[in-house]
Amino acid sequence: MGLSHSSIYHSSHVRSVTTSGLVIVEPFSEIYPRLDIYDFYGNEKYESQVDLLIQSYQALYDRPYNDMRSFYQVAGIHGLPYTAYDGVTGGAEEYHNDTDWETGRFGGYCHHGDVLFPPWHRPYMLLIESLLVEEAKKIALQYPDNEKEKYVEAAKQLRHPYWDWADVKAIEGVPKIFTSPEIKINTPNGKKNVKNPLKSFTLPVDLSYPLVKGQNPTDKPNYNVPNISYNPYTPAGYPTVRHPNSNYEDQTDLLNSNMSVYVPTVFRPGMYQMFHISDFLRFSSHGVNSDDSQSGNFFSGHPPPTNPAGMAHFASMETTHDDFHLVCGGPGGHMGYVDLATFDPIFFFHHSNMDRLLALWQGIYPNSWIPKTIEPNGSYTDVLNKAIDEYTDLTPFRKTKTEFWKSSDVPDIEKLGYTYLEVEKFKGQDPKKLKAYVLELYKPDPHFGRRFFVKLTIKAGKLDGPCSIRVFIDLPDANAQTLVTSPHFAGLVSMWSSNKKHAHDNSFVYGTVDITAAMERLNIRTQVHDPLQEVNTTTGLLGPLWLFNVEKDITIVPVSLNGYEASPKEAGVDKIEVFTFEHDKVDPNFLDENSGKYYGSKKF
């Protein structure tokens, strides 16, 4: 997992234990909901909370960078700077850059590509959230007496909002609260236009190391996106960016344009698929083997699916998560890189949403949780291929001075002091009602017949750096220059954490693209063929209504984040398979698993 590691990635400074005591991630004593940013911002009801959130983010930015409770230090838990956070080393298993990077071991604390991906991010979000609320409570006390009570109550109720980037409203682009340079809020000293801390974070120290001339922010107005084998360099005093131009400035219009394409073709279909997966192993991460089991899973004994078109082949939560990272960051943007993503504040609104999706999935499938498996990629405290389960320490998040949070501690979000309005609404009801709600929310298009899917089996680590595997229908000459606005574009699978050093013989990533909408746009028949009826008994030839040819009519175009086009084989695409499902006759939002049929495949 992660990008290609090099000794130059190691930070030039070493973090130390905070002087204000160990960082303990404590749950809130009262339960309040995390709110949708679409409801939160611009809503008079939550104006006070918005005021406090903006000022609280800025307060974390303003803390000394070596303070373990500063934004810089909290962001640095995930990937770079590959040093111990708050003294959490892992003992004898501590990551050592001079030796471990060569093995492909990841140097941050985060989990990707294993079953701890969803639960690890839960105490991570709780940490940033609790620090923000702590700041909000201090700020609330600074308001004039005639406003103080209102702000004290707002601080108590404040929980970290989420951005549902698969909401139909996201087709219009990124909410302005994340893109406006300034934002008007009511401060203890009156209403003011302040610098918007949710647009970017300015690095207090260098992040990564300088690259060749022309590939550093200091080279603006002649900045070029770096060679994809390396993390972009961010000098001290420079902000995080999204889709940077030659002047190292955000291209928000380009990001919004991409959202208009990818929300309907990638994000919503991905959400729709993953809520059909009932097994946590397959739902949780993209780290899988060629036999459909977790990469390196020596323990679960999970057999290959008996139905070759079973829903186990649908895209995981992590796959859809990865898609958003690449679309949001773009070439050279921090969100596009595993090691850098957390320094962009939008990361935490994204992961608040991922936590919401996990909570919704738990409500639908309450009896599935974390199996015993392994961690193939390692982390700052865990060696490669370490055995993991729900009792594995989620380092570096301390529950007390002597113990760390574990996945077994976090299934019930109410015990952590927060909830989501949707979860609360369906609490205690039949899980099928919640599932029906979620599938209605994310149904990718109004087609209620038979849906067609292309499943991609991709060998991990064939390319260095993030890339997307684009799928085009009935366009044999599609290439990296073919616009994703083309009616032939069906969707993509993202390889966010690709690194040649992490390539293992049996390590594959699965992704699934719903090609139904593209087929309809191109007037390609979407009924399943019946060879017995469609073969001419006299000539032995197929009839004219035979569906498209999997070998010829599906084109796979791998494109790295900097625009380089690779062949499917170079990118590790092992094979593609086409399968179909019918919608349920009673509730058309559901796909009927028993209707799954395998259509055909192509090897590369």
Side-chain angles (χ1 to χ4, degrees):
M1 95 126 256
L3 305 182
S4 61
H5 297 304
S6 163
S7 58
I8 67 168
Y9 284 4
H10 202 331
S11 175
S12 58
H13 73 275
V14 178
R15 299 193 280 193
S16 59
V17 179
T18 180
T19 57
S20 56
L22 295 177
V23 179
I24 310 297
V25 183
E26 296 181 350
F28 296 102
S29 59
E30 296 181 84
I31 303 167
Y32 290 102
R34 290 179 179 172
L35 300 170
D36 185 339
I37 198 69
Y38 291 112
D39 298 327
F40 182 72
Y41 182 58
N43 187 334
E44 185 178 353
K45 180 179 179 180
Y46 302 115
E47 277 184 356
S48 301
Q49 290 191 38
V50 173
D51 295 337
L52 291 173
L53 181 71
I54 296 299
Q55 293 174 90
S56 297
Y57 256 98
Q58 189 60 54
L60 294 188
Y61 290 0
D62 292 341
R63 286 184 175 184
Y65 80 84
N66 56 357
D67 180 345
M68 291 298 124
R69 293 173 174 83
S70 69
F71 182 84
Y72 172 78
Q73 292 291 344
V74 173
I77 290 171
H78 191 269
L80 283 175
Y82 294 176
T83 53
Y85 174 80
D86 202 28
V88 180
T89 65
E93 296 185 357
E94 182 178 10
Y95 176 87
H96 293 286
N97 201 73
D98 295 338
T99 54
D100 285 323
W101 73 268
E102 184 64 39
T103 68
R105 178 177 168 181
F106 182 58
Y109 288 93
C110 77
H111 283 261
H112 290 105
D114 67 59
V115 294
L116 299 185
F117 163 68
W120 183 89
H121 286 84
R122 186 159 273 180
Y124 193 23
M125 277 304 309
L126 190 60
L127 171 59
I128 188 78
E129 185 174 45
S130 61
L131 291 173
L132 289 166
V133 171
E134 180 184 315
E135 291 292 345
K137 289 180 177 179
K138 290 188 289 186
I139 295 167
L141 295 175
Q142 300 172 24
Y143 278 83
D145 290 343
N146 64 333
E147 294 182 299
K148 186 177 296 184
E149 183 178 352
K150 177 178 68 173
Y151 279 93
V152 167
E153 181 63 24
K156 183 179 73 171
Q157 296 187 22
L158 180 64
R159 298 293 181 266
H160 201 291
Y162 65 88
W163 176 31
D164 181 5
W165 34 260
D167 190 300
V168 290
K169 292 189 283 291
I171 295 174
E172 301 171 5
V174 180
K176 292 188 183 302
I177 194 171
F178 301 124
T179 61
S180 299
E182 291 188 340
I183 185 169
K184 188 173 184 178
I185 60 172
N186 184 38
T187 74
N189 297 314
K191 292 188 176 181
K192 294 182 179 180
N193 282 322
V194 299
K195 182 180 178 182
N196 182 8
L198 306 187
K199 182 180 185 296
S200 62
F201 170 63
T202 299
L203 272 298
V205 293
D206 292 355
L207 186 64
S208 193
Y209 278 73
L211 303 175
V212 300
K213 185 174 176 57
Q215 297 185 2
N216 302 296
T218 50
D219 295 315
K220 64 178 187 177
N222 299 306
Y223 170 77
N224 294 290
V225 175
N227 180 308
I228 209 65
S229 297
Y230 300 95
N231 281 319
Y233 168 57
T234 313
Y238 278 75
T240 56
V241 288
R242 304 165 195 151
H243 292 264
N245 60 17
S246 60
N247 204 38
Y248 199 67
E249 297 169 329
D250 289 353
Q251 297 183 86
T252 301
D253 288 346
L254 178 57
L255 172 55
N256 288 340
S257 176
N258 283 345
M259 290 296 293
S260 71
V261 173
Y262 291 117
V263 171
T265 60
V266 178
F267 300 159
R268 293 179 62 76
M271 296 284 198
Y272 184 76
Q273 291 173 39
M274 74 185 192
F275 280 105
H276 281 88
I277 303 173
S278 59
D279 177 69
F280 189 87
L281 175 67
R282 304 183 187 284
F283 164 79
S284 63
S285 78
H286 57 218
V288 290
N289 285 327
S290 53
D291 66 354
D292 288 351
S293 61
Q294 171 83 23
S295 181
N297 185 0
F298 307 128
F299 306 104
S300 72
H302 197 98
T306 55
N307 177 1
M311 291 181 182
H313 294 302
F314 278 155
S316 70
M317 176 191 196
E318 188 175 16
T319 301
T320 306
H321 154 277
D322 291 359
D323 294 336
F324 176 76
H325 270 280
L326 293 192
V327 171
C328 183
H334 290 73
M335 276 289 284
Y337 300 83
V338 175
D339 289 319
L340 313 177
T342 42
F343 292 96
D344 185 334
I346 205 171
F347 172 95
F348 294 100
F349 294 82
H350 161 47
H351 264 279
S352 185
N353 187 47
M354 297 310 297
D355 185 80
R356 162 184 164 266
L357 297 172
L358 172 60
L360 289 170
W361 188 89
Q362 289 179 270
I364 296 170
Y365 305 106
N367 298 319
S368 184
W369 195 231
I370 299 165
K372 189 174 183 180
T373 177
I374 70 160
E375 179 183 354
N377 303 311
S379 71
Y380 191 83
T381 54
D382 298 339
V383 296
L384 293 168
N385 299 315
K386 180 179 179 178
I388 55 175
D389 58 22
E390 65 177 315
Y391 304 108
T392 300
D393 287 344
L394 301 178
T395 54
F397 310 116
R398 289 187 175 92
K399 186 178 181 182
T400 66
K401 289 183 178 181
T402 59
E403 62 179 336
F404 295 98
W405 285 93
K406 299 174 175 58
S407 302
S408 58
D409 298 321
V410 300
D412 187 347
I413 59 175
E414 288 193 355
K415 290 183 178 179
L416 304 179
Y418 69 91
T419 187
Y420 299 95
L421 295 178
E422 299 152 305
V423 173
E424 190 67 21
K425 179 180 178 180
F426 289 93
K427 184 178 177 181
Q429 298 187 40
D430 185 338
K432 288 183 179 179
K433 291 185 177 180
L434 177 56
K435 184 176 181 180
Y437 162 79
V438 172
L439 295 183
E440 170 68 23
L441 186 65
Y442 293 119
K443 63 182 181 185
D445 57 62
H447 178 75
F448 288 117
R450 178 171 285 273
R451 303 202 74 85
F452 281 75
F453 301 89
V454 173
K455 174 190 169 187
L456 293 84
T457 301
I458 308 163
K459 193 173 190 313
K462 295 295 285 185
L463 291 180
D464 266 336
C467 67
S468 59
I469 315 294
R470 299 175 183 173
V471 177
F472 292 88
I473 304 299
D474 196 26
L475 193 65
D477 59 351
N479 56 42
Q481 282 69 50
T482 304
L483 298 177
V484 293
T485 52
S486 165
H488 298 268
F489 175 69
L492 57 78
V493 175
S494 294
M495 300 289 285
W496 186 44
S497 49
S498 183
N499 180 356
K500 289 182 179 179
K501 295 185 185 299
H502 293 139
H504 307 290
D505 289 340
N506 66 340
S507 183
F508 287 82
V509 169
Y510 285 164
T512 309
V513 174
D514 186 334
I515 62 173
T516 315
M519 292 171 66
E520 291 202 325
R521 284 196 300 270
L522 300 170
N523 294 315
I524 296 174
R525 179 186 170 206
T526 55
Q527 294 84 15
V528 173
H529 66 270
D530 183 345
L532 296 178
Q533 295 181 10
E534 296 177 0
V535 175
N536 187 301
T537 55
T538 303
T539 63
L541 299 176
L542 296 177
L545 294 180
W546 189 264
L547 197 61
F548 63 90
N549 187 310
V550 176
E551 283 279 343
K552 297 180 180 179
D553 294 340
I554 299 177
T555 304
I556 304 298
V557 182
V559 184
S560 69
L561 201 54
N562 66 351
Y564 168 76
E565 179 179 345
S567 69
K569 191 169 185 178
E570 280 182 289
V573 181
D574 180 66
K575 64 180 176 180
I576 59 173
E577 300 165 275
V578 177
F579 58 97
T580 71
F581 286 102
E582 287 184 1
H583 284 273
D584 187 84
K585 297 294 189 295
V586 177
D587 187 340
N589 283 338
F590 289 78
L591 293 177
D592 179 3
E593 184 164 17
N594 294 325
S595 70
K597 293 186 179 181
Y598 186 82
Y599 187 81
S601 65
K602 176 181 179 179
K603 289 281 290 182
F604 291 93

